[in-house]
Amino acid sequence: MSLEQDFIVKADEPVRPGEAAMPGANVRAESPLPLFVVCAVFALLVGCSMESPPELGVARAGAVVQDANFADSVFVSGLQGPTTMTFAPDGRLFISEKNGSLRVAVNGQLLATPFMTLTVDTDNERGLMGVAFDPNFDSNHYLYVYYTSVAGSIHNRVSRFTANGNVVVPGSELVLADFPTLDAANHNGGAVRFGLDGKLYVSVGENAVSSNSQSLNTPLGKLLRFNPDGSIPTDNPFYATATGLAKATWAMGLRNPFTFDVQPGTGVLFINDVGEGGWEEINRGQAGANYGWPMTEGYFTNRPELTQPFFAYPHGAGTAAGNCIAGGAFYNPPVTAFPSAYVGQYFFADYTNNWIARIDPNTGVRSLFATAAAGPVDLDVGPDGALYYLARGAGQVGRIAYTASLPPTIAQQPASTLVSVGNPATFTVSASGEPPLTYRWQRNGVDIAGATSPGYELSAAQLADSGARFRVVVTNGLGSTTSTEAVLTVTTNKPPVATIVTPAAGATYTAATNLTFSGSASDQEDGTLPPSAMTWNITFHHDTHTHPAMADTTGIASGSWPIPSVGESSANVWYRVRLTVRDSIGLTHTTYRDVHPVTVPLTVTSVPSGLQVLMDGRPVAAPHDTTGVVGVVRSVGVESPQYANGRFWAFSSWSDGGAQSHTFITPGSAATYTALFTETSGGSCYQIQSERTDKWLTVNTAGKVVAGSTTQAGGQVFQLVPNGTRYKLKGSGDAFLTVVANQLTMGADFTSGESFTRIACGYGGRTRVGFQSSTGSAPHWKETAAGEPIQSGDGGNGGACNPADGGAWEAFYLEPVACPGDSTGPVCGNGTVESGEQCDDGNTQPGDGCDATCQTEASGSAGCFRIQSERTDKWLTVDGANKVAALGTTQSDGEVFELVTHGAKYKLRGTNGAYLAVVADQLTVNASPSTAESFTRYDCGVHGGRNRYGFESSTGTARNWKEVTPGAPIQSGNGGNAGICNPADTGAWEAFYLEPVTCPVRG
């Protein structure tokens, strides 16, 4: 589900194909829009929508609080498509409307002039979505807004504005962040809040592209953290590894986090993530967390790299289930007005099932608080200690207050109404006070027998009823109050008649086409009605809920709306085209027509069968059958390698020729997409020695990894299986390494096993590395106590590869061994290119000339390579003066260098047979084998799937290779290039990529 998916169709309005006339509500021209219009407007932003009947009812705050000592009342009404609300520090309530208007309510009165009206795109869930006030608002008057901008392209934007009383300072907008151009119109997120750290937190949806949630190249599908001026804090958890705006990522793996809140006093942050297939989530915010979308939603097992939801509830009907989590507010007001049991509780709501619940942030105990709230989309705790909810379905703000010992008060008065003769007329009132409240309706000052409810309906109004005045007396044990009078007007005029001509009954659609519509309107009294009397609306239905599509459009008799190809991928969908017509006195009639999709069967499978495939970003076992809407963009992919039936499998190709992960357009006929795999050895095998105690890692009887063996022969054999740029470690049998309670444990399968980053620690002639998991606040391997389980994820092991520092993470030595029972596994020196191979001399290229036992080999060839500078992405060439410079724009332009082993170092021979030396701090190809420079090669790690190295000479005060000036000779030996493999740091030595090539034939 998503906040774009949730108007559950009410039981009293059956959903059926074709055209169905809906009895028009007879209302005064100045009365509010029919509820179905209000709901449709809401859907256009949030998408979790409950479809209301088209008849106009007088809206009231009708929440039923479980505790009779609470009462609901209307605080603000007359809102058009409200989305979120926030109290200003001075007590004013600011309410966002989807159309771009930011409204202000003062003491419960909605000001006629908006604070500001932004130009926004209102398609589907786009619009004005969030507002937050600067912690220093009283002095700087700053507030922050999230909205869908149309400047340049359609994209979401966060801007800062300056307030001048109840209106914005003209021209004060400061754009803080422009997010990527939107593909789909749904899953926008949109909440903004300040944390106790003074940083601005922003929730952003994945824009219906699920892979965005796991990518650190996009800010979509994340909770972001900014400085108040829009800059990105350098202590963000992904600052060093993400790109662009994604550096602002504070937590990832979110689908559509429309709302979240920060607890006053503690800073605890709860994120409401709208689900898809089965669950709605509350996620406890923490830096660096990955909440798992699209791999999982709801509770899960065996995914140690992911963060479980704090609380999740299933999709369905009733008060224990729902389809669209919304709102969210901690009850920690400056003035406590609820009993102490409520203090510190987190309130949240489900938009489609109309309930409000609370949960204890410490125990996780959930309690139902209120039902029958009219589409609650946002919650807030007011400065008076009451709980406020934004009732999207009613265009109101409701106020739930603790009413013990309070006399009755009326928050919403009954409204005058116009009806056609024979139609019902309804009057309602919203009151609060100490329960129980009793109601006594009066007509022309006389009690109406049996009219003792908050609402009164005259079932069939007659002409004789016209002019009648209706009011209600509300009473409790502490007093009574009387409402204002509402006047009923009854007319003999008949409602108009709306007729849809196109789409025709039974019409179908395919994605990426236009949905055209046309119709007419007539009225018994007015005759043929002009286009100005016609209002069109298109709603996208998915299963039992709806997404918004085309907003209310008035003044046309025909038109078209582009059906998107990106967004909802399910096939149980359709569009509903509505036409509402209004006559000269305000009577209305609505009709609709449903248009269903053209669908085809799709199959995603694998060879061999049974491996895991990704369908629209979600993992499923192959073969997987689904149904697609023709023209909709779908995606398939696979993770590689995979482990099944005791074997490793590497992705080879897709049957349609696409990349490992790629999109396709659903074709017009049934289709099968097959992922082809080939068996692979999986990776190299090693025994691992702890540098801290010089003992070898073993697995104890509890499955924990400890440094327990004093001899290599007693060590566990681990197979390092490349998984992208990271590694999974396989032990005996089918057990893979994971992290349980910060300890390395052999208790996972391949899918759930932890993926570790391997970090080169350098030093000496042995392969010395550190391992980093994704779990914990400082997730590096460390032997905390001799003989105890190796730690990974505890909070005390930040630092560098330094075993002498008890607070630092440490290095481990990898000793290559044959993989158990696998004669075809990687064998150092066998001349075959094998992924992940490591040798004692520091080589990581397979077939590199090392001997069969991976000991330091005698002088020999380690293979030939072209070398690319990471700084400029150009390939090293040899110029006319025999100087080595990064000049080649393609690999074929690059010089071929042969790495000739020289003990633990290398000499480099060029194509012409001359060797590399350092002359005046510049790399020069002019030496003989005896005069050539011996270089130490450092493993800088794997980046982007490629091996990355640094080279160090023995000449000069700072002897590392660096492309100081693009196009000029490579430096080695000058005094300015000390440091680490970091091309962004001009004072650092840098890394180079080695691409294996065939050695040239020399005479």
Side-chain angles (χ1 to χ4, degrees):
M1 287 286 170
S2 72
L3 272 183
E4 88 284 78
Q5 300 181 351
D6 307 276
F7 282 73
I8 290 185
V9 179
K10 294 180 70 175
D12 58 356
E13 185 191 357
V15 177
R16 55 190 182 275
E19 183 173 355
M22 301 180 181
N26 302 336
V27 298
R28 293 189 185 275
E30 68 272 16
S31 297
L33 290 174
L35 285 181
F36 88 90
V37 174
V38 176
C39 270
V41 172
F42 169 62
L44 294 175
L45 175 64
V46 206
C48 297
S49 35
M50 173 172 288
E51 187 166 345
S52 300
E55 293 83 8
L56 174 68
V58 178
R60 63 178 297 275
V64 179
V65 185
Q66 301 302 290
D67 186 335
N69 289 309
F70 290 84
D72 179 29
S73 63
V74 174
F75 183 68
V76 173
S77 59
L79 299 168
Q80 299 298 315
T83 56
T84 57
M85 62 180 178
T86 305
F87 279 97
D90 56 17
R92 292 176 294 165
L93 181 61
F94 281 61
I95 307 162
S96 306
E97 292 182 331
K98 177 180 168 53
N99 61 12
S101 294
L102 183 58
R103 309 296 301 276
V104 181
V106 180
N107 298 323
Q109 298 298 313
L110 187 66
L111 302 185
T113 301
F115 175 82
M116 65 180 176
T117 300
L118 298 170
T119 300
V120 300
D121 184 272
T122 60
D123 185 22
N124 208 306
E125 295 173 22
R126 300 167 180 167
L128 176 56
M129 290 168 277
V131 60
F133 290 90
D134 193 283
N136 300 309
F137 177 79
D138 289 340
S139 58
N140 61 28
H141 310 299
Y142 291 157
L143 69 162
Y144 301 77
V145 169
Y146 186 114
Y147 70 98
T148 306
S149 171
V150 297
S153 66
I154 297 176
H155 62 281
N156 291 319
R157 166 181 286 181
V158 176
S159 289
R160 190 186 77 193
F161 293 87
T162 304
N164 179 18
N166 291 322
V167 294
V168 70
V169 174
S172 65
E173 179 176 14
L174 174 66
V175 177
L176 302 185
D178 277 320
F179 299 124
T181 298
L182 295 173
D183 294 318
N186 52 341
H187 296 196
N188 291 290
V192 286
R193 293 282 188 274
F194 271 91
L196 298 191
D197 57 0
K199 307 299 185 184
L200 180 67
Y201 291 78
V202 180
S203 63
V204 184
E206 34 84 302
N207 193 218
V209 179
S210 57
S211 59
N212 285 337
S213 300
Q214 294 298 319
S215 171
L216 288 175
N217 294 321
T218 175
L220 305 182
K222 315 292 191 307
L223 185 70
L224 307 177
R225 177 175 178 259
F226 294 95
N227 293 314
D229 61 1
S231 61
I232 299 176
T234 57
D235 62 346
N236 276 358
F238 302 102
Y239 185 87
T241 54
T243 62
L245 275 178
K247 288 181 175 291
T249 300
W250 191 73
M252 61 189 298
L254 296 166
R255 182 175 181 269
N256 190 18
F258 184 70
T259 51
F260 70 94
D261 197 31
V262 179
Q263 186 173 36
T266 69
V268 170
L269 192 152
F270 275 2
I271 309 164
N272 298 333
D273 198 17
V274 183
E276 181 188 50
W279 295 89
E280 303 294 300
E281 295 181 0
I282 298 174
N283 292 295
R284 185 187 292 273
Q286 62 185 65
N290 184 339
Y291 301 109
W293 178 255
M295 291 91 74
T296 181
E297 67 174 8
Y299 301 113
F300 54 84
T301 57
N302 294 327
R303 297 303 295 258
E305 75 277 18
L306 305 179
T307 301
Q308 289 273 9
F310 169 75
F311 177 76
Y313 62 89
H315 288 180
T319 57
N323 294 276
C324 179
I325 189 169
F330 287 97
Y331 190 79
N332 296 95
V335 176
T336 300
F338 285 9
S340 60
Y342 293 86
V343 176
Q345 301 272 293
Y346 180 70
F347 285 86
F348 62 101
D350 190 87
Y351 180 77
T352 60
N353 286 17
N354 298 322
W355 50 254
I356 301 171
R358 60 188 174 97
I359 192 168
D360 189 315
N362 298 312
T363 66
V365 175
R366 182 253 192 198
S367 303
L368 184 66
F369 181 69
T371 61
V377 65
D378 200 13
L379 303 175
D380 208 348
V381 176
D384 59 351
L387 179 69
Y388 292 78
Y389 69 94
L390 190 57
R392 176 84 184 196
Q396 298 175 334
V397 176
R399 177 180 181 270
I400 299 177
Y402 189 67
T403 56
S405 303
L406 293 178
T409 58
I410 295 176
Q412 179 174 301
Q413 303 290 342
S416 297
T417 188
L418 164 72
V419 298
S420 186
V421 64
N423 284 290
T426 301
F427 303 93
T428 60
V429 69
S430 177
S432 63
E434 182 176 284
L437 295 175
T438 63
Y439 299 85
R440 183 162 44 91
W441 283 92
Q442 297 177 337
R443 173 174 173 156
N444 297 330
V446 179
D447 290 352
I448 303 172
T452 57
S453 299
Y456 171 69
E457 179 180 272
L458 186 64
S459 60
Q462 303 300 313
L463 291 176
D465 297 317
S466 190
R469 304 182 310 278
F470 294 85
R471 67 184 185 185
V472 65
V473 179
V474 185
T475 304
N476 67 5
L478 299 175
S480 65
T481 185
T482 302
S483 74
T484 59
E485 290 187 322
V487 178
L488 170 64
T489 302
V490 184
T491 178
T492 58
N493 282 16
K494 300 298 182 183
V497 176
T499 302
I500 294 177
V501 177
T502 59
T508 58
Y509 75 89
T510 59
T513 61
N514 289 326
L515 177 55
T516 59
F517 53 87
S518 63
S520 62
S522 62
D523 182 72
Q524 183 172 310
E525 292 77 25
D526 298 339
T528 301
L529 296 177
S532 60
M534 306 169 72
T535 298
W536 295 88
N537 173 274
I538 301 177
T539 304
F540 178 58
H541 286 248
H542 174 208
D543 198 15
T544 57
H545 51 269
T546 69
H547 302 232
M550 188 184 80
D552 295 321
T553 303
T554 301
I556 58 173
S558 62
S560 66
W561 182 76
I563 298 174
S565 61
V566 178
E568 181 56 57
S569 60
S570 301
N572 57 341
V573 295
W574 73 93
Y575 285 95
R576 176 164 291 177
V577 180
R578 295 181 185 269
L579 172 61
T580 299
V581 298
R582 182 182 297 268
D583 68 13
S584 60
I585 67 169
L587 299 179
T588 65
H589 171 245
T590 295
T591 187
Y592 67 83
R593 182 155 292 158
D594 291 341
V595 185
H596 289 262
V598 178
T599 62
V600 295
L602 300 173
T603 299
V604 185
T605 188
S606 67
V607 175
S609 181
L611 297 183
Q612 187 182 82
V613 294
L614 302 175
M615 184 71 214
D616 298 320
R618 301 196 69 190
V620 293
H624 174 74
D625 295 319
T626 187
T627 302
V629 174
V630 174
V632 167
V633 175
R634 306 289 292 269
S635 70
V636 291
V638 296
E639 293 182 353
S640 180
Q642 296 188 30
Y643 182 76
N645 301 320
R647 298 180 179 182
F648 289 98
W649 302 93
F651 169 74
S652 175
S653 63
W654 278 99
S655 57
D656 65 347
Q660 182 172 333
S661 294
H662 67 280
T663 60
F664 66 91
I665 298 174
T666 304
S669 58
T672 298
Y673 299 85
T674 303
L676 303 176
F677 289 81
T678 57
E679 187 176 353
T680 178
S681 58
S684 297
C685 291
Y686 303 89
Q687 287 170 309
I688 303 177
Q689 184 179 18
S690 169
E691 190 179 40
R692 187 177 296 271
T693 61
D694 289 332
K695 290 186 177 181
W696 298 85
L697 301 193
T698 65
V699 180
N700 65 19
T701 56
K704 302 295 185 180
V705 176
V706 300
S709 175
T710 56
T711 65
Q712 180 179 354
Q716 168 74 43
V717 175
F718 294 92
Q719 187 171 8
L720 270 65
V721 183
N723 188 43
T725 60
R726 308 177 78 190
Y727 295 86
K728 296 192 177 189
L729 278 74
K730 180 181 179 296
S732 300
D734 292 327
F736 283 80
L737 196 62
T738 188
V739 180
V740 177
N742 294 330
Q743 297 177 349
L744 298 187
T745 305
M746 300 302 301
D749 58 20
F750 179 80
T751 301
S752 60
E754 175 70 64
S755 289
F756 297 94
T757 300
R758 191 177 71 178
I759 303 170
C761 293
Y763 312 117
R766 303 174 67 192
T767 301
R768 181 174 177 270
V769 300
F771 286 98
Q772 176 183 359
S773 75
S774 59
T775 303
S777 57
H780 304 96
W781 286 19
K782 184 178 69 170
E783 184 184 358
T784 305
E788 294 298 316
I790 303 298
Q791 297 289 305
S792 182
D794 65 321
N797 62 346
C801 304
N802 182 4
D805 179 1
W809 63 285
E810 69 189 80
F812 293 81
Y813 295 113
L814 302 189
E815 292 297 327
V817 295
C819 291
D822 183 11
S823 60
T824 63
V827 178
C828 178
N830 66 358
T832 301
V833 175
E834 294 153 333
S835 177
E837 183 170 301
Q838 283 277 358
C839 297
D840 279 343
D841 63 1
N843 298 346
T844 56
Q845 288 298 328
D848 57 6
C850 55
D851 63 24
T853 60
C854 281
Q855 300 303 310
T856 300
E857 68 274 77
S859 181
S861 176
C864 290
F865 304 86
R866 287 193 174 97
I867 303 177
Q868 184 180 16
S869 168
E870 189 179 41
R871 186 178 297 271
T872 61
D873 289 331
K874 290 188 176 181
W875 298 83
L876 302 194
T877 67
V878 179
D879 63 19
N882 291 325
K883 301 295 185 182
V884 177
L887 298 174
T889 56
T890 65
Q891 181 181 0
S892 60
D893 296 334
E895 174 81 4
V896 174
F897 292 93
E898 183 177 9
L899 272 65
V900 179
T901 58
H902 187 74
K905 296 186 176 184
Y906 297 89
K907 295 187 177 186
L908 278 73
R909 180 164 60 165
T911 304
N912 63 1
Y915 282 77
L916 197 61
V918 180
V919 178
D921 291 333
Q922 296 178 354
L923 299 187
T924 305
V925 182
N926 68 349
S928 66
S930 60
T931 61
E933 178 70 52
S934 293
F935 295 95
T936 300
R937 189 172 75 172
Y938 289 96
D939 183 353
C940 293
V942 178
H943 292 264
R946 305 171 67 193
N947 293 311
R948 183 171 171 265
Y949 302 94
F951 287 93
E952 178 188 14
S953 74
S954 58
T955 303
T957 57
R959 308 180 299 272
N960 307 293
W961 286 19
K962 184 177 70 169
E963 185 183 0
V964 178
T965 304
I970 303 296
Q971 297 290 304
S972 183
N974 64 53
N977 61 347
I980 60 172
C981 305
N982 181 6
D985 178 3
T986 56
W989 62 288
E990 68 191 77
F992 294 82
Y993 296 112
L994 302 191
E995 293 296 326
V997 295
T998 302
C999 289
V1001 178
R1002 296 186 176 92

